[in-house]
Amino acid sequence: MADSKRTLLDYLRIKNPDLDRTGCRSGGTTQGQYVYSTPYKTQAWTDFEFETLIEMYGGTFRRMLESRHDLQDRSNIAAIPNRQIYDEASLESLLHIWNKQVVSDALAAAQEEGPSNLAQNPIYMAKGGQARSPEVPVSKGGTTRKLRPDWAGKKEPAGCVDLPPNILPGDTKLSSKWHSSNMRFGIVRDMDNKMKWLPAIRQIYTYCIKANARYGFLITDQELLVIRISWMQKSDRNDSKSSKGGAVTAQEKLGLLECKDIPWEQIGIGASGSIPPMTMNLALWCLYMLAAVDHVPKYYVRDASPTPAQSGKKRMRTDTEPATETSQARRPRRSSRLRGKHLCEDLME
């Protein structure tokens, strides 16, 4: 039975269910037989903030989130067995009936009433097997095997016959095996290569670069880690295509992985007058909407002539500054209003 109308923002801020993790298995993450790539650098995704995201594309996201819809209440989830987390399979079962359903409802409602290009070719949150994944080498025999992300973002244009590509890969992990609090930011090659947090990062990074996907995510029973991939310099190969098997390209070796964690327990209610915090479902919705507009990685731009105060720092091209393959030089910075207007036009095309 449908509820009375509510805003998409209110719907996406509903609290995640409380979980029973007492039987959750521990241990480290495994990489299997795949040959995974390693990002050159990791750093915080500082502009993945609610107040920044809702003003993007000329305020289109804000208007979508403020629209009111009849949306089904999916929060009545049985404690036994649905909230009991033992392994990745039990976690994915919960994610499917809760997070995937809520985000899918919100995506459908937003895109139906959004710009025509989104309504005609919407993005869907899907399981990894419902989208096409590229192949990578395996450690033995020199053969290749298809990657198998747990989650996907996909579009199915009218007349599409083949399985659509995965433009937003995601992976599921248990918090007893991986947690973002163990991550380190910086040049990865300068770190201890036996770090326990790195295999899961290499895995989702490889999912993204092989799919030529700008965004990805890791989701556990304690948090969501949203990810953005950028290239730190151009490759001498064809930049419009990711490598298909074989050796890792120079472009992939110089990839930048930015990330931000959103706790499972976080609720979307802030103090009076403050900006409410991001919830997992709201963050997932934003990530899928970003991928719906532009899912291809952009270039990391180095300042040509940094001032002494900026020495050693690099400037990241944000989502509010679309990049072209030939525009490496620094441009005059536009006001947020002009950037929003520019991207609103891109969204409406």
Side-chain angles (χ1 to χ4, degrees), residues 27-49:
T29 59
T30 59
Q31 292 202 267
Q33 296 181 326
Y34 294 110
V35 177
Y36 290 126
S37 303
T38 303
Y40 175 76
K41 184 179 181 181
T42 57
Q43 70 182 36
W45 187 354
T46 56
D47 54 355
F48 192 89
E49 299 288 350

Side-chain angles (χ1 to χ4, degrees), residues 71-221:
L71 298 165
Q72 183 176 349
D73 185 353
R74 300 185 181 274
S75 61
N76 187 22
I77 300 172
I80 300 175
N82 294 331
R83 299 191 189 187
Q84 295 175 311
I85 307 302
Y86 298 100
D87 52 19
E88 285 187 15
S90 57
L91 173 57
E92 286 204 350
S93 176
L94 171 69
L95 297 175
H96 181 80
I97 64 175
W98 169 242
N99 304 90
K100 179 181 179 294
Q101 292 299 326
V102 170
V103 174
S104 296
D105 289 347
L107 285 173
Q111 293 176 113
E112 283 175 3
E113 297 186 4
S116 59
N117 63 329
L118 293 182
Q120 294 168 6
N121 191 18
I123 191 169
Y124 300 93
M125 183 175 183
K127 294 292 291 177
Q130 295 173 311
R132 186 174 73 250
S133 294
E135 295 186 350
V136 297
V138 294
S139 56
K140 297 179 181 179
T143 59
T144 60
R145 182 181 296 178
K146 282 188 177 182
L147 292 169
R148 298 190 179 278
D150 295 320
W151 300 98
K154 69 171 186 175
K155 293 185 173 186
E156 293 201 33
C160 179
V161 177
D162 298 328
L163 194 65
N166 188 344
I167 62 173
L168 177 50
D171 202 40
T172 305
K173 300 293 181 190
L174 291 177
S175 63
S176 58
K177 296 183 178 182
W178 191 91
H179 199 278
S180 66
S181 60
N182 297 316
M183 277 194 69
R184 299 293 178 266
F185 293 148
I187 307 300
V188 177
R189 68 183 180 190
D190 295 339
M191 304 177 191
D192 182 355
N193 61 9
K194 295 182 179 180
M195 295 174 294
K196 292 183 178 180
W197 60 266
L198 187 55
I201 292 298
R202 294 181 71 232
Q203 185 176 5
I204 188 62
Y205 174 71
T206 302
Y207 289 166
C208 290
I209 62 173
K210 294 297 182 179
N212 201 28
R214 180 160 170 74
Y215 305 104
F217 63 91
L218 280 174
I219 189 166
T220 79
D221 52 289

Side-chain angles (χ1 to χ4, degrees), residues 35 40 124 156 288 296 319 337 346:
V35 177
Y40 175 76
Y124 300 93
E156 293 201 33
Y288 272 83
V296 179
D319 289 293
R337 179 177 297 179
D346 290 345

